[in-house]
Amino acid sequence: MAASIESLLEEISNIEEPIEELQCLKTALLSITLNDLRDFVSGHRFEVIFSLLNSNDREQVELCVDILERILMACSPLQVVQNYKAELQAGLTHPNDTVKILTLTQVGRMAEHSDAAVQILNSQDIIVTVIRSIAADNMTVAKQAIQSLTKLARTETSTSKIISGDMLNVLTEVMTVSDIVRYRVYELVVTIESESQNHEGYYPCGRIIDQLIKELTGDDILIRAAAIEMITLMVQTVRGHKFLMGQLVFNKIAKMMIDANTDPFSSLYLPGFVKFFGTLSFVQGPQRVCEDYPVFRDKVFEMALDTDPTMIGVALDTLGLLGSTVEGKQVLQKTGEKFKSVMVRMSQLASAGATELRVRCLDAISHLLTLQPEHQTEDLLALTESWFLLLSKQPINMIRDISTQPFPELHCAALRVFTAIAAQPWGQRLMVRTPGFTEFILDRSTSKSKEAKDAKFELVGSLLGSSSVAEILGSQNYISLRTYLREGPYHVSAVAAVDTEGAE
C-alpha cells in the first residue's frame, strides 16, 4: 500500500489535472492504518499536495484538504511545524475557509505539544495571522482561531507573546473591524484568564478589559447585555475577581440594577446582572453579597414574582444556586415573609405552565431542600421542612402528581425533589404517612427511561443513606429498599411462563 501511495504522489506531481489521482490517493490513505501511515510519512514530504491548494478548482482544493488532514494527523505536531511552517503560513491566508480551518486545527495541535508550541510562538508572522483570523466572516474559522490562541496561552511567557506588546496592538486593531469581532477578542482575553491560573492574566491586556468595563456601563443596552456575560466569566477567577473589585465594577452593576426601575429596556440586561451576582455569591458567599448588594436579593424575589418567563427562569436558577449552601439557606430564611411568598409562587409554577419552566422550578426547589447529613441540625431541618410544607397542603402528593404526568423531564425533576427530602427524617416521616408512597418508590414501572430509572435509583440511595430510615420506614420497607438497591436501577423481574396448552 505504501508503494501505491508513493507512485500516486509521483504521478500527481507530473500531471496538470490530477482530480482522479487525488481521489485514488485519498482512498489509499484512508485504507491504511494510522500507525502504518506514520511510518510512511516520516520518510516523505508532501509539498506537491500543498502546492495543489493554489487552485481555483474547488473539488481539487477540497480533495487536497482531505488528504492533508489524514497525512498531518499521522505526523507529530513537532514534525508539522518543522517541515511545513511556510505551508502553514500560506494556509492561514488561503481564500478557501476549509484550508484555513485545517491549518488552524494544526496550530491547535501544536499548542498542546510543548516543543512545537515554542516554535509556533516564536513565529510572529503565524501568530499575527491567527489573531487576524478572529475577524473572519466564517464563524468556524474565528472560533478555531480563538481556540488555538487559548491553547497557546497556557503559561505566563506564552501569554505575553499573544496579548502584549506588538500582538496587543494587532488585537486592538482587529477589534475595530466590527462589534461582533470586538466581542470575539473580549472572549479570547477572558478565556485566556479563566484557563490560565499560573500567570498575571489580565495585566498584560488591561486596556482591553478597561474597554470591556466601559461597554458594560455605556448607554447601548444590547452591548451592555453582551458585556455582562464576559464580566461574569471574569469574576469566577481569583485574578479576575480581584481586578473587577479594584475597578469598583460590583458597585457599578449594583447601581445600574437600582436605576433599572426607571429603565423601560432593563429586561434586556437585568437577567445578566442577576446571573453575575449569583455567580459572585458562589465565589464570595451569599451572605456577604446579599448584605453588600441588597438590590440583588430584592431583584431576584421581584423577578420570581414576574410574569416574564425569561425573568422567572433566571430568578429560579439563582434561587437554586443561593439555596444550595447552608449559608444561602440562612440568608433566604432571614427575609421572612418575602421568601415565603416566593416559595408559594414556586409551588404554582411547578404545578402549571411551560414544561421547561416547571423543570427549572423543581430543580430550584430540590436545591433549596437539599441538606447534607453533616448539616442536619435541629434548626436547619426545621427550616427545610417549613419550606416544603409551604408548597401545598399535601406537598408529597403534589410532587408525586407532577411525576406521573407524561413528560420524562418533569418525572425526573420531581424525583430529584423527593431525593432531596429523602435524606432527612421529616421527609421520611411524610413519605411513610402518605398512602401508597413506599409502593410508588418501589414500583419500577413508573420510571420508563434510563434517566428516570437512574433518578429513582438515586432516590432509593438517598433514603438508605440516612441513619434514621430503618426506624422511620419500618423493617419491611427497609428490606425492600435494600433489595431494590442491590438489584440495581435496570432490574427486570422474571415472569414465569404459563403453559396454556397443558392447562387446557
Side-chain angles (χ1 to χ4, degrees), residues 31-188:
S31 65
I32 188 173
T33 66
L34 209 54
N35 282 334
D36 290 340
L37 187 56
R38 287 192 182 99
D39 294 335
F40 178 80
V41 299
S42 62
H44 295 78
R45 292 180 61 81
F46 300 91
E47 285 88 347
V48 61
I49 306 299
F50 280 103
S51 67
L52 290 174
L53 290 170
N54 300 316
S55 170
N56 293 323
D57 187 325
R58 186 178 183 84
E59 183 182 5
Q60 176 176 308
V61 171
E62 290 183 354
L63 278 169
C64 288
V65 168
D66 291 340
I67 290 167
L68 288 170
E69 187 175 35
R70 182 70 173 170
I71 289 170
L72 295 176
M73 191 56 66
C75 297
S76 73
L78 189 59
Q79 284 178 308
V80 176
V81 70
Q82 287 177 338
N83 296 333
Y84 304 110
K85 188 180 289 186
E87 287 80 0
L88 287 172
Q89 178 65 50
L92 290 169
T93 57
H94 197 281
N96 189 301
D97 286 335
T98 58
V99 180
K100 291 178 182 175
I101 293 168
L102 169 68
T103 311
L104 288 165
T105 302
Q106 292 303 313
V107 173
R109 285 186 67 213
M110 294 167 209
E112 296 175 330
H113 186 285
S114 57
D115 293 336
V118 170
Q119 293 205 27
I120 282 292
L121 286 165
N122 288 332
S123 304
Q124 190 172 23
D125 289 346
I126 289 180
I127 297 299
V128 168
T129 312
V130 174
I131 290 175
R132 293 193 186 284
S133 297
I134 297 173
D137 292 334
N138 186 308
M139 191 60 193
T140 304
V141 173
K143 283 188 173 182
Q144 190 62 56
I146 292 171
Q147 187 178 51
S148 297
L149 289 167
T150 303
K151 288 179 180 178
L152 281 168
R154 293 288 168 83
T155 66
E156 184 175 352
T157 301
S158 62
T159 299
S160 66
K161 290 188 176 183
I162 294 174
I163 54 176
S164 64
D166 292 340
M167 296 300 106
L168 184 55
N169 292 332
V170 176
L171 276 171
T172 305
E173 178 189 334
V174 168
M175 291 174 71
T176 65
V177 172
S178 69
D179 289 347
I180 292 174
V181 173
R182 186 165 74 255
Y183 275 89
R184 289 177 189 171
V185 174
Y186 290 145
E187 178 187 350
L188 168 67

Side-chain angles (χ1 to χ4, degrees), residues 1-12:
M1 183 58 72
S4 171
I5 293 173
E6 194 163 359
S7 66
L8 281 168
L9 284 168
E10 184 176 350
E11 191 173 348
I12 288 168

Side-chain angles (χ1 to χ4, degrees), residues 126-274:
I126 289 180
I127 297 299
V128 168
T129 312
V130 174
I131 290 175
R132 293 193 186 284
S133 297
I134 297 173
D137 292 334
N138 186 308
M139 191 60 193
T140 304
V141 173
K143 283 188 173 182
Q144 190 62 56
I146 292 171
Q147 187 178 51
S148 297
L149 289 167
T150 303
K151 288 179 180 178
L152 281 168
R154 293 288 168 83
T155 66
E156 184 175 352
T157 301
S158 62
T159 299
S160 66
K161 290 188 176 183
I162 294 174
I163 54 176
S164 64
D166 292 340
M167 296 300 106
L168 184 55
N169 292 332
V170 176
L171 276 171
T172 305
E173 178 189 334
V174 168
M175 291 174 71
T176 65
V177 172
S178 69
D179 289 347
I180 292 174
V181 173
R182 186 165 74 255
Y183 275 89
R184 289 177 189 171
V185 174
Y186 290 145
E187 178 187 350
L188 168 67
V189 171
V190 171
T191 304
I192 285 175
E193 162 59 20
S194 66
E195 296 186 4
S196 307
Q197 294 294 318
N198 298 320
H199 56 78
E200 291 299 309
Y202 288 116
Y203 301 116
C205 53
R207 74 175 188 237
I208 291 180
I209 300 301
D210 286 340
Q211 185 172 341
L212 173 60
I213 293 171
K214 288 179 182 177
E215 307 252 33
L216 176 68
T217 56
D219 294 330
D220 191 312
I221 303 301
L222 294 178
I223 289 180
R224 182 183 297 178
I228 192 61
E229 293 185 21
M230 299 295 172
I231 300 293
T232 302
L233 288 176
M234 286 176 63
V235 82
Q236 297 176 55
T237 67
V238 175
R239 290 173 181 80
H241 179 274
K242 182 178 179 181
F243 185 93
L244 293 171
M245 182 175 284
Q247 298 294 315
L248 302 178
V249 172
F250 305 163
N251 294 333
K252 293 174 182 176
I253 296 174
K255 184 179 184 306
M256 285 189 285
M257 289 180 73
I258 295 172
D259 295 341
N261 292 327
T262 58
D263 184 353
F265 301 104
S266 62
S267 62
L268 296 174
Y269 59 82
L270 263 180
F273 282 12
V274 168

Side-chain angles (χ1 to χ4, degrees), residues 375-387:
H375 297 141
Q376 291 186 12
T377 63
E378 185 177 339
D379 288 345
L380 287 171
L381 285 169
L383 180 153
T384 52
E385 181 179 11
S386 68
W387 286 358

